[in-house]
Amino acid sequence: MPSRVIIFSGKGGTGKTTISAATASLLARQGRKVLVISSDPAHSLGDVVCQRIDRDSPTQLAPNLYALELDTFYEAHRSMSGLQDHMENAYKQQGVAAPVAAELAGQPGLDEILSLNRLREEAESGAWDVVIVDTAPTGNTLRLLAYPELLVGGKGVAGAMRAYKGISKILRSLKDEGATERYIREINRLLEIMSKLNRLLLSKDVTVRLVMNAEKLSLEETKRAYTFLSLYGISLDSVIVNKVYPSEAHQMAYILGLNGSTEPHLPGTQLGPYFNKWVALQQRYLLDIENSFTPLPILKAYLQKSEPLGVEGLADLAVKVYGLVEPAARLSQQRMIWVEDRAGAAAKNKKSAKSPVLRDLCLRIPFVEDSAQSIEVSRDAGELVINFGRIQRKVSLPRILNDAEFQGGAYESGVLRLSFGESIAPPPPVSPVAPTAPAKPKPALAAAYSYDDDPFSVN
């Protein structure tokens, strides 16, 4: 049975590692067998738990608690060394110097994808009740999570195969049929890995939790991350606001150790204008966060008297963060994509020359109205191509809509509704779907960009 997988992501410096390790420590204390994986190249997980962590076999940190710090190069060699060896040898035999051949043999993003595959292997091994993932900063993580679908979705496989077949011509020129056959086997295995990863990331057992701070840059990046995850159908089940200042002056005085304050429940000194201003500013952003992410659960991690380090200290922090909430539960049941029938729509449209609207394909994509970009949607055979700024997703239509006519769409209250009629017609031109609110002018999108390597400018 697959493990429950919780992926923690967020802007750099928000405390993802601390919150992910705290969640894992609490679950282990509750009797769950937990693996916490760090996929962040900086690898601060070992620093937080105050223990050295291995890159190969899970390291036991405490009863029921294990950890693994992934090494992307090691995972690439472990999983697909044959592919890289074949390509490196091919370049060498064409006269390319060995150091250059080694660099050319590495496919962009392959190391990170194979690290993600290690997560899949652990999640499907049956060895763990819960797998917790501490990730790199937001932009890198979201690009990594989207990549399997970009490759296996729709015509992605055909495009990938064209690229890899071009490389295979180098092998054929060497008159080495055995090398060519091994190469094709490795490519087929890579595509199979991508397909399995895509299924895992879109399964009900996997959710993302975004860790943020109560400040403007963190709030804006978390909104963009929510939009991105929703566009790719990856479920977000909660937002965790870390490093929150207590609003009561005596609590802050205790934490800061001002004027001999030794008890958190006794009134202490006034903090003065500097800290009072920061507390008030955080309270304003906390209100913005509530307004932005409700009805998603919003959890808070308040500033502690001392830095939470070690398994026990981290578990104690998690108790305060989650309260009565079950940490391993799926904390939100929001649907990301669904089909709605339109009752009575056919009868109302009998006199219309256009095919009556029978169903809507609905995608939850929040915060579009906060952007200066519009959503653009077009149909390409059995796919819908959705462009939003520099992000593009190709959605394979469910069977019930495969032969229906796409008639356009509208965006309202965080949901993109794409309407379909009875009979299929020639694909309509790209149709912008402008948000209905707020009513403010938005610049026209000059071009629909394909997926960019840097979806967010701030990490």
Side-chain angles (χ1 to χ4, degrees), residues 320-391:
K320 297 172 183 175
V321 172
Y322 289 99
L324 299 178
V325 173
E326 167 53 51
R330 186 182 175 114
L331 303 183
S332 174
Q333 300 297 328
Q334 279 194 141
R335 296 178 296 175
M336 306 309 296
I337 181 169
W338 67 97
V339 176
E340 283 187 5
D341 287 338
R342 288 204 179 186
K348 293 179 182 178
N349 290 280
K350 277 183 179 178
K351 296 182 180 180
S352 173
K354 195 174 185 180
S355 175
V357 175
L358 299 179
R359 294 182 177 90
D360 285 342
L361 177 64
C362 303
L363 294 89
R364 191 181 304 281
I365 310 177
F367 304 123
V368 170
E369 64 270 20
D370 296 343
S371 171
Q373 307 287 359
S374 295
I375 300 175
E376 291 185 343
V377 183
S378 62
R379 180 167 184 167
D380 182 8
E383 296 178 331
L384 287 180
V385 182
I386 302 174
N387 289 286
F388 176 56
R390 294 183 293 169
I391 304 171

Side-chain angles (χ1 to χ4, degrees), residues 259-312:
N259 291 355
S261 296
T262 58
E263 295 293 333
H265 60 280
L266 296 177
T269 182
Q270 289 296 314
L271 300 178
Y274 179 80
F275 284 109
N276 287 338
K277 179 178 180 180
W278 276 104
V279 170
L281 184 61
Q282 272 205 345
Q283 291 300 312
R284 192 186 81 189
Y285 281 121
L286 285 171
L287 181 60
D288 288 345
I289 291 168
E290 292 283 349
N291 291 334
S292 297
F293 294 101
T294 301
L296 275 177
I298 301 170
L299 308 176
K300 299 182 183 69
Y302 286 91
L303 202 62
Q304 302 297 303
K305 173 70 173 176
S306 59
E307 192 174 2
L309 295 172
V311 173
E312 289 304 313

Side-chain angles (χ1 to χ4, degrees), residues 49-307:
V49 298
C50 304
Q51 297 186 49
R52 186 173 180 176
I53 298 173
D54 193 36
R55 70 175 186 177
D56 184 13
S57 301
T59 302
Q60 185 167 10
L61 306 178
N64 298 319
L65 181 60
Y66 296 76
L68 190 64
E69 288 188 337
L70 295 182
D71 182 325
T72 57
F73 297 106
Y74 173 78
E75 290 300 324
H77 181 76
R78 183 182 73 88
S79 300
M80 296 291 290
S81 58
L83 172 63
Q84 292 183 315
D85 287 344
H86 296 331
M87 295 180 65
E88 186 175 343
N89 289 333
Y91 284 121
K92 286 179 182 177
Q93 294 187 43
Q94 291 292 312
V96 177
V100 178
E103 291 296 323
L104 293 174
Q107 299 299 291
L110 183 60
D111 294 347
E112 289 80 3
I113 287 299
L114 294 176
S115 295
L116 196 60
N117 187 53
R118 179 63 184 272
L119 158 64
R120 181 194 64 80
E121 291 175 345
E122 296 292 350
E124 295 177 352
S125 68
W128 317 104
D129 296 320
V130 184
V131 176
I132 303 288
V133 188
D134 170 37
T135 66
T138 315
N140 293 332
T141 299
L142 299 185
R143 184 168 62 248
L144 180 62
L145 294 179
Y147 193 71
E149 177 169 306
L150 287 171
L151 184 60
V152 303
K155 298 179 181 177
V157 171
M161 287 305 295
R162 281 196 298 272
Y164 285 119
K165 283 179 180 178
I167 299 172
S168 72
K169 291 180 181 178
I170 299 175
L171 293 170
R172 290 193 181 95
S173 69
L174 303 177
K175 310 297 184 184
D176 187 346
E177 293 299 329
T180 303
E181 289 177 6
R182 290 193 300 273
Y183 172 81
I184 295 301
R185 284 199 301 271
E186 292 284 332
I187 294 301
N188 288 334
R189 183 164 171 262
L190 176 60
L191 294 176
E192 182 182 359
I193 286 173
M194 291 294 194
S195 181
K196 289 179 178 178
L197 279 174
N198 192 49
R199 287 197 299 270
L200 173 70
L201 293 173
L202 299 180
S203 73
K204 61 181 179 59
D205 297 314
V206 179
T207 59
V208 174
R209 293 179 185 171
L210 293 175
V211 181
M212 63 181 298
N213 300 143
E215 55 187 38
K216 180 176 179 58
L217 293 181
S218 185
L219 173 58
E220 294 305 317
E221 181 158 331
T222 305
K223 284 183 178 181
R224 290 194 292 270
Y226 189 11
T227 303
F228 187 99
L229 290 168
S230 300
L231 185 60
Y232 279 91
I234 300 172
S235 297
L236 176 69
D237 77 346
S238 62
V239 171
I240 301 175
V241 189
N242 193 25
K243 304 177 186 176
V244 179
Y245 298 140
S247 58
E248 296 81 5
H250 60 275
Q251 291 281 357
M252 274 293 289
Y254 164 70
I255 288 172
L256 297 171
L258 298 178
N259 291 355
S261 296
T262 58
E263 295 293 333
H265 60 280
L266 296 177
T269 182
Q270 289 296 314
L271 300 178
Y274 179 80
F275 284 109
N276 287 338
K277 179 178 180 180
W278 276 104
V279 170
L281 184 61
Q282 272 205 345
Q283 291 300 312
R284 192 186 81 189
Y285 281 121
L286 285 171
L287 181 60
D288 288 345
I289 291 168
E290 292 283 349
N291 291 334
S292 297
F293 294 101
T294 301
L296 275 177
I298 301 170
L299 308 176
K300 299 182 183 69
Y302 286 91
L303 202 62
Q304 302 297 303
K305 173 70 173 176
S306 59
E307 192 174 2

